[in-house]
Amino acid sequence: MKNTHPSATSLPRAPREGADSRTRTYLITMGIRVLCFALMVLVTPYGWWTWVFGAGAIFLPYIAVVFANVASDVSDATIESPERALTAGPVADDVGDASPAEPAEAPRIIRVEESREDRDA
């Protein structure tokens, strides 16, 4: 029977952690927008950079919302069994040792499974 439960190493980021990252990105982008608006008003004499600051003040809210709504972890999570790492043979302690390694006994694997016991008290 194939194990369909994900392991702890293959789980995606926590939703709260992703929300914090998106909120931080949104606030940084909106801070740049406020800076663009202030520079558009305060920098004199007015010139071509005034238009650049104005475009930033107008279009950065849209960009901030798009970046905030994009999840950062879009990769497909695959389930990796930690038991695969245990099937490797023993590693020689000394690199210069030419004698073959003695076969070791198979690693002991402990599996813990939870079951619900229905007890009528």
Side-chain angles (χ1 to χ4, degrees):
M1 180 186 331
K2 186 176 181 180
N3 186 6
T4 58
H5 300 291
S7 69
T9 57
S10 65
L11 293 175
R13 290 173 51 179
R16 184 68 198 159
E17 187 178 327
D20 290 343
S21 173
R22 290 191 308 270
T23 301
R24 189 178 318 109
T25 303
Y26 177 79
L27 290 175
I28 289 170
T29 309
M30 292 307 287
I32 294 170
R33 181 213 183 202
V34 169
L35 182 67
C36 283
F37 184 75
L39 291 174
M40 180 185 73
V41 173
L42 297 176
V43 172
T44 55
Y46 300 121
W48 62 270
W49 54 84
T50 305
W51 292 103
V52 172
F53 294 143
I58 291 171
F59 295 113
L60 275 176
Y62 173 77
I63 294 170
V65 169
V66 169
F67 283 163
N69 287 332
V70 173
S72 61
D73 188 15
V74 294
S75 63
D76 185 25
T78 58
I79 297 174
E80 297 177 13
S81 174
E83 293 177 5
R84 289 190 317 180
L86 297 176
T87 60
V91 178
D93 292 335
D94 188 13
V95 177
D97 187 16
S99 64
E102 296 179 13
E105 61 184 55
R108 204 170 93 190
I109 299 174
I110 300 173
R111 293 187 184 184
V112 177
E113 296 182 12
E114 295 182 29
S115 63
R116 182 176 177 185
E117 294 181 19
D118 294 331
R119 295 184 181 176
D120 294 330

